[in-house]
Amino acid sequence: MQPTAPLLRRLRRLALTTKQVNGGYYKGTGSGSMGRHTKHGGYIIEYKKVRTYVVPKDLKDFKLTPFVTKTMEPLKGFFEGDPKGGMSGERYLDRWKRENGMD
C-alpha cells in the first residue's frame, strides 16, 4: 500500500528516522560522550569533555529568574502518614473495590 501524493510530500518534510534510510544512520540523543570505553568493559570519564555551567557570583541583583518560582510551598504527599506508602496492597485493593465493585 502506497501513501497518496499529498501525504508523501508532507512526509518528506519531517525529520528522518532510522527506518527511512539505509544502514549506518544513527540519530542519537544529542547527549554526546563524556569519556571513552576501555578494552576491559569499563568507562573512563574525561573531565575535559564534561559540561560545566558557570553560575554568577552575586545572584541578588541578577536579572534572569528561574523557571520555577522561589515562593512555591512543598506539596504534601498523598500517602503521608501511611507506613507502607504507595506500595500498600490494602490501599490498592480498597481502590479496586471502589472503582470496580465487589466481586
Side-chain angles (χ1 to χ4, degrees):
M1 186 168 117
Q2 292 286 357
T4 61
L7 181 62
L8 193 58
R9 278 193 297 271
R10 262 187 265 150
L11 285 175
R12 287 186 185 147
R13 290 187 203 131
L14 296 175
L16 285 176
T17 65
T18 55
K19 293 182 178 182
Q20 294 171 325
V21 293
N22 291 331
Y25 174 73
Y26 178 69
K27 187 172 182 180
T29 59
S31 59
S33 72
M34 290 191 292
R36 58 186 168 86
H37 294 280
T38 64
K39 65 180 179 180
H40 302 293
Y43 193 76
I44 296 175
I45 295 178
E46 296 175 0
Y47 288 99
K48 64 181 179 183
K49 291 184 172 184
V50 176
R51 292 183 185 99
T52 56
Y53 301 98
V54 179
V55 179
K57 292 181 182 176
D58 187 21
L59 292 178
K60 291 181 182 177
D61 299 329
F62 196 65
K63 302 279 189 246
L64 298 177
T65 59
F67 293 118
V68 179
T69 179
K70 294 179 183 177
T71 59
M72 184 174 175
E73 296 178 14
L75 299 173
K76 301 259 186 202
F78 183 73
F79 302 107
E80 203 165 308
D82 189 359
K84 293 184 182 176
M87 300 302 288
S88 172
E90 293 88 10
R91 186 179 291 273
Y92 173 77
L93 288 175
D94 290 340
R95 182 174 175 183
W96 189 88
K97 288 177 183 176
R98 266 187 288 135
E99 292 179 3
N100 298 311
M102 300 288 254
D103 283 344

